[in-house]
Amino acid sequence: MSEQDAIEPLRELFYAHYRFQYLSAGYRLGLFSVLAEQPGLTHPEIAARLGLQPQPARILLLGCTSAGLLRKDDDRYWNSPVAEPLAASPTEVPAAFVPWEQHVNYRPMAWFYESLKEGTNVGLRKEIPGDATTLYGRLALNPELETTFHNMMGSVSRRVAEDLVDRLDLSGYSHLLDVGGGTAVNATYLARRWPNLRVTIIDLPTVASAANEKIAAAGLAEQVTAVGLDVFRDEFPRGCDAVLFGHFLEIWSIERNRELIAKAARAVDPGAGAFVVTPGADDDGTGPDLAAALSAYFLTVASGEGMTYTGAEYEEWLLDAGFEPTGRLTVGNLGDIVITGVRK
Ligand SMILES: C[S@@+](CC[C@H](N)C(=O)[O-])C[C@H]1O[C@@H](n2cnc3c(N)ncnc32)[C@H](O)[C@@H]1O
């Protein structure tokens, strides 16, 4: 194989980080919004609108065009279909991912090698201020990053929740415990869909108070309450007849997941439902891409211990803790699955 032939298939990988920086800088400068408002601007017009000197603007346009984000015709530029959604709401998929990848993940992920070697989240420790051992603990001290996180998480959860309300039958349950329920996205959708269902969210104290504000603003304070606690230090509140782990168990190690599912089993009576919503990993360990990316993120940044586990592993942990696994569904269009079970 010639040197050229050997380089070619690797080129995409070598250049991926430059491409992301073109995308991120274009997004932060408002390039895609400017071209959505005024398609067909020239290089000097774009430089003036973005407040850039001519040569940096030329570099940005070169990279965004070569990455397929812009189309150039004569001396004018248009958003490509790939970039068009980036001009939409900054709190929705896919725009909410850009500040998330840029401000939370990009620098920490340069410590992936060290994180693999040490088996912990070196990236978080090196790049995100604070003493807490998890990203979530450090976000509490970094309100801008916390907002960036919850914008991204909310954008994903809304996509999932829109589908979850149609796919999950909660008519037989009266009180759902939403473990690590974040800023109440799932809870809000589920409470509206099932008006007789009460929901108790448990999450870290700063997140629980943000959730309670959102719940009150949504007029759901009678039905949904968020309680601030640490799921590893505290027992789960009793009295619920269904437990939801939404985008939560993939953060933690196998041992801690077994412990959390056992806590859920202790908190509920026979017949209670269990629902694990999580990005899906193929049972044979070959993908998909999302599972690989998130696994690197959980190790290097989020917790230093989690990964995207397979549906079969969740079923085994549920079974061992006293829940009978009852099925698997796919939800949303971003690669999530739900594993369901019933307390024996
Ligand atoms: C990935 S988010 C998922 C949020 C929500 N369930 C959803 O699907 O949108 C994980 C949540 O776990 C919470 N969390 C992390 N560590 C926790 C702990 N020790 N106790 C309680 N909640 C925790 C975080 O604050 C965050 O809201």
Side-chain angles (χ1 to χ4, degrees):
M1 189 191 281
S2 75
E3 238 174 42
Q4 190 56 31
D5 287 346
I7 288 174
E8 210 43 53
L10 289 167
R11 208 183 282 282
E12 285 283 312
L13 294 170
F14 288 149
Y15 292 168
H17 70 116
Y18 293 103
R19 291 219 168 103
F20 177 72
Q21 288 306 331
Y22 276 113
L23 181 156
S24 172
Y27 178 80
R28 293 167 76 189
L29 288 160
L31 172 64
F32 309 116
S33 305
V34 163
L35 286 176
E37 277 164 29
Q38 270 189 284
L41 293 176
T42 61
H43 161 223
E45 289 167 341
I46 292 170
R49 290 288 301 272
L50 303 188
L52 294 181
Q53 295 164 33
Q55 185 149 323
R58 184 176 154 197
I59 291 169
L60 178 69
L61 293 172
L62 168 65
C64 287
T65 309
S66 121
L69 294 163
L70 301 183
R71 177 170 64 80
K72 187 179 184 203
D73 232 340
D74 289 333
D75 58 352
R76 297 184 175 277
Y77 292 88
W78 282 262
N79 283 333
S80 74
V82 180
E84 268 163 27
L86 296 173
S89 166
T91 57
E92 291 298 331
V93 173
F97 290 170
V98 181
W100 157 250
E101 296 295 357
Q102 176 68 44
H103 300 301
V104 180
N105 291 324
Y106 214 82
R107 286 187 177 86
M109 279 312 302
W111 297 92
F112 181 51
Y113 165 84
E114 289 80 2
S115 299
L116 287 170
K117 294 278 282 185
E118 294 183 30
T120 189
N121 49 350
V122 179
L124 177 85
R125 285 156 205 208
K126 295 284 189 190
E127 300 291 349
I128 298 188
D131 294 326
T133 55
T134 69
L135 173 66
Y136 313 97
R138 294 193 186 201
L139 289 179
L141 304 174
N142 295 275
E144 270 183 42
L145 286 191
E146 192 167 47
T147 303
T148 301
F149 173 81
H150 287 292
N151 282 347
M152 177 285 298
M153 199 63 239
S155 73
V156 172
S157 300
R158 274 192 294 281
R159 287 284 177 97
V160 173
E162 279 161 12
D163 202 22
L164 208 55
V165 291
D166 292 330
R167 309 289 306 284
L168 227 53
D169 182 4
L170 298 183
S171 58
Y173 300 106
S174 61
H175 195 165
L176 177 74
L177 180 67
D178 183 359
V179 183
T183 49
V185 175
N186 288 324
T188 302
Y189 273 85
L190 294 172
R192 289 205 171 116
R193 170 67 182 85
W194 306 103
N196 295 323
L197 182 74
R198 283 175 57 208
V199 184
T200 298
I201 292 171
I202 51 177
D203 207 300
L204 296 171
T206 55
V207 181
S209 53
N212 279 326
E213 281 172 27
K214 289 209 168 170
I215 292 160
L220 289 168
E222 297 284 300
Q223 207 185 337
V224 184
T225 314
V227 178
L229 54 75
D230 183 330
V231 295
F232 296 110
R233 281 210 301 260
D234 306 305
E235 282 297 309
F236 294 176
R238 294 196 56 91
C240 294
D241 59 0
V243 184
L244 169 67
F245 292 101
H247 293 131
F248 191 67
L249 296 178
E250 62 270 26
I251 302 169
W252 313 111
S253 67
I254 294 173
E255 295 69 31
R256 283 178 129 185
N257 283 336
R258 285 184 173 280
E259 185 194 324
L260 289 168
I261 296 173
K263 262 189 188 177
R266 283 200 294 279
V268 296
D269 293 328
F275 306 96
V276 178
V277 179
T278 181
D282 299 336
D283 279 344
D284 66 1
T286 54
D289 270 1
L290 174 69
L294 288 174
S295 295
Y297 154 74
F298 291 121
L299 172 67
T300 311
V301 191
S303 61
E305 60 180 82
M307 68 175 288
T308 314
Y309 300 103
T310 66
E313 286 173 293
Y314 286 112
E315 284 159 357
E316 184 190 321
W317 304 337
L318 284 168
L319 195 60
D320 290 350
F323 291 97
E324 185 69 44
T326 50
R328 281 190 215 177
L329 312 165
T330 54
V331 278
N333 54 5
L334 300 171
D336 286 284
I337 58 171
V338 188
I339 298 101
T340 60
V342 174
R343 181 79 170 98
K344 289 187 280 184

